Amino acid sequence: MNLTGFISLSLGAILIENVIFSQFLGICPFMGVSKKMDSAVGMGIAVTFVLVLSSIVCWVVNRFLLVPLNIEYMQTVAFILVIASLVQFVELFLQKNIPSLYQSLGIYLPLITTNCAVLGIAIANIDRGYGLGSSIAYGLTSGIGFLLAIVLFASVREQMEVSSDFPKPFKGFPEAMLAGGLLALAFMGFSGLSVFG
Amino acid sequence: MKEIISAIIVLAALGVIFGIVLAVAAKAFHVQIDEREEEINDILPGANCGACGFAGCAACAGAIVKGTAEVSCCTGVGDDALNQIAEIMGSGPVERVKTVARVRCVGTSEDMKKFEYQGIHDCLSATKVGGGSPNKCAYGCLGLGTCVKACKFDALKIVDGLPVADERFCTGCGACLKACPKGIMELVPVDATYFVSCASQSNAKDTMAACKSGCIGCGLCVKKCPSEAIKVANGFASIDYEKCTGCGICAEVCPKKIIHKL
């Protein structure tokens, strides 16, 4: 993959087809873990980390196991199996070898086990016929897109906490839904963007 | 038919392989966790207030077990729970003074305001306009409840423009002390009898101009206190509760009547 291809792929994944704002994948952690900036950043980094790993492993499983045996229709089941085990394995590995990273990612890792963004990106990689390099790049940049979205949203919610004048029934989750919708609308502005033709 | 069978075989094989890998990994990457750590974590309040100086209750429990923190480092646990922790750690019963948060201000009436603040309902925001405070006194309580929001135990309430702690719920964790942009919250022993309700660091002239009852740091109470329990520092008087006998002479001699009986 050349540099132009990479830039166009990553701009697409981060802005134009942002996992959250235009593909609507991974909404659960987006709404759930965006109350505080610290936890939003932790969640974003953990998702990015798992996305890259799962992109690699799922691509390998698909290419060397599902395709030769002609059972691509089992993709979803196989990928969930792969991702769930992978996340468990990574968690065990981090706890032993990189305790500091485990401390900061620890509580978020199990949440990602069945995150639809992770499964969605793994399937998108296959559907679009990406090679291994493109799959990793797409996984990484989608993760960065997720990080960007959740960090933006957390900063909006932190601000709303002190300064919004919503009536009482709108406090908390409803106002977060409204803010999330407006943020997604703002990201629609990128839909006309295309890179190098 | 062939595809269905191969799908079953492949997925079963994948499942078994991943299962074995995870089982091996669980053994290979096993981390010894001290049982006491979990037991203590169960006793701790779980509010993750951070008053102990650790990242949360779990980190505090770890520090207690490792010995890097005092058994009594959590101010949020009750006496029974504290003794349970002491028992788990094998140390003797612990005694400590229960403290509650109090604000060192008697409040600001309408004529003590420089202007009416209509911005975001938050003390920190209010300190960003009009030279640090909408009150004439730069050390006066803003009464917008930033301390109330900081309290993890729902112990604080704003009553007549001042935060009041409910002694039953206040654990003395000190989260409100850190949240107060004016730094006028203080932890006071629950059985303290007298309290200086002002922390104005301005000089006597400025304090008198801003507030009728502010402490001007005259030092009369220091001179009259029989047990040398009062000191004037930074322009206001403070009581040392370890020495205070509760005689009340300070409250009598105070020309500003800012030393109150609790």
Side-chain angles (χ1 to χ4, degrees):
Chain A
M1 189 175 44
N2 58 17
L3 187 65
T4 324
F6 177 72
I7 292 174
S8 125
L9 184 82
S10 50
L11 266 184
I14 296 173
L15 297 177
I16 307 166
E17 319 162 305
N18 188 295
V19 251
I20 288 174
F21 292 137
S22 26
Q23 302 190 45
F24 299 109
L25 294 170
I27 301 292
C28 166
F30 176 68
M31 297 306 286
V33 204
S34 58
K35 254 194 156 167
K36 284 218 174 87
M37 186 57 93
D38 299 349
S39 43
V41 172
M43 187 73 194
I45 292 173
V47 166
T48 311
F49 184 68
V50 172
L51 264 173
V52 173
L53 282 179
S54 70
S55 293
I56 300 171
V57 180
C58 288
W59 189 88
V60 170
V61 166
N62 184 69
R63 177 74 180 71
F64 295 108
L65 210 58
L66 302 186
V67 172
L69 290 168
N70 216 6
I71 48 167
E72 286 120 311
Y73 66 93
M74 293 306 283
Q75 217 178 41
T76 312
V77 185
F79 284 2
I80 287 183
L81 190 66
V82 170
I83 294 166
S85 329
L86 181 73
V87 173
Q88 286 293 316
F89 183 81
V90 169
E91 199 187 343
L92 287 167
F93 177 81
L94 288 183
Q95 194 174 9
K96 175 78 176 180
N97 292 324
I98 321 175
S100 55
L101 192 60
Y102 176 76
Q103 288 287 334
S104 45
L105 293 188
I107 28 174
Y108 306 114
L109 273 176
L111 290 175
I112 307 168
T113 319
T114 49
N115 185 333
C116 56
V118 179
L119 181 66
I121 298 302
I123 290 179
N125 279 335
I126 309 302
D127 283 353
R128 297 173 185 204
Y130 284 155
L132 184 58
S134 302
S135 289
I136 299 172
Y138 191 62
L140 175 70
T141 48
S142 292
I144 294 172
F146 182 91
L147 180 67
L148 174 76
I150 199 165
V151 164
L152 279 178
F153 192 48
S155 55
V156 170
R157 283 187 79 173
E158 276 193 350
Q159 193 64 35
M160 283 201 308
E161 193 90 336
V162 287
S163 62
S164 76
D165 265 341
F166 276 106
K168 230 177 180 178
F170 273 92
K171 278 278 168 206
F173 210 68
E175 61 175 0
M177 295 282 238
L178 285 173
L182 288 175
L183 213 52
L185 265 181
F187 262 70
M188 274 181 74
F190 289 117
S191 62
L193 193 71
S194 67
V195 188
F196 304 111
Chain B
M1 194 59 197
K2 193 174 147 245
E3 269 140 26
I4 296 174
I5 292 172
S6 60
I8 293 171
I9 293 172
V10 166
L11 283 180
L14 272 181
V16 170
I17 292 168
F18 287 141
I20 293 171
V21 169
L22 281 182
V24 172
K27 271 266 178 287
F29 299 132
H30 183 66
V31 179
Q32 194 73 42
I33 296 174
D34 203 317
E35 288 175 6
R36 294 180 299 176
E37 210 171 307
E38 261 173 45
E39 282 174 37
I40 293 177
N41 194 21
D42 286 344
I43 297 171
L44 292 175
N48 296 322
C49 68
C52 53
F54 297 99
C57 291
C60 177
I64 292 176
V65 170
K66 281 199 200 86
T68 48
E70 293 284 324
V71 173
S72 60
C73 73
C74 177
T75 54
V77 289
D79 287 341
D80 293 346
L82 180 62
N83 285 326
Q84 277 175 24
I85 296 176
E87 207 173 290
I88 292 169
M89 291 305 295
S91 60
V94 189
E95 278 188 30
R96 58 169 181 180
V97 185
K98 178 175 161 50
T99 54
V100 288
R102 291 191 192 283
V103 63
R104 299 195 62 162
C105 183
V106 287
T108 45
S109 54
E110 279 310 308
D111 56 325
M112 284 149 73
K113 301 252 187 237
K114 275 193 284 191
F115 56 89
E116 191 187 346
Y117 173 75
Q118 290 190 329
I120 295 167
H121 202 78
D122 181 82
C123 299
L124 193 57
S125 305
T127 60
K128 303 292 180 214
V129 292
S133 176
N135 299 328
K136 282 182 191 161
C137 174
Y139 299 92
C141 176
L142 302 157
L144 295 171
T146 294
C147 48
V148 176
K149 275 182 229 154
C151 184
K152 296 265 167 59
F153 303 97
D154 280 341
L156 280 168
K157 235 191 297 180
I158 299 282
V159 180
D160 296 331
L162 285 178
V164 178
D166 189 325
E167 286 172 16
R168 289 171 301 168
F169 302 130
C170 180
T171 62
C173 72
C176 49
L177 274 70
K178 285 180 205 144
C180 179
K182 291 290 171 196
I184 52 170
M185 297 294 287
E186 194 187 337
L187 291 176
V188 179
V190 74
D191 52 1
T193 41
Y194 287 89
F195 180 63
V196 187
S197 305
C198 180
S200 169
Q201 297 179 26
S202 311
N203 59 32
K205 184 171 159 272
D206 290 348
T207 304
M208 291 220 286
C211 174
K212 280 189 280 264
S213 45
C215 176
I216 50 175
C218 63
L220 257 181
C221 48
V222 181
K223 279 182 211 136
K224 298 283 180 186
C225 179
S227 43
E228 294 180 355
I230 310 186
K231 277 201 175 68
V232 169
N234 298 328
F236 58 93
S238 298
I239 299 175
D240 182 343
Y241 293 102
E242 278 181 20
K243 292 182 188 161
C244 177
T245 56
C247 64
I249 294 173
C250 51
E252 277 168 34
V253 298
C254 179
K256 289 287 176 183
K257 299 293 167 212
I258 192 66
I259 305 182
H260 294 126
K261 194 172 192 331
L262 293 172

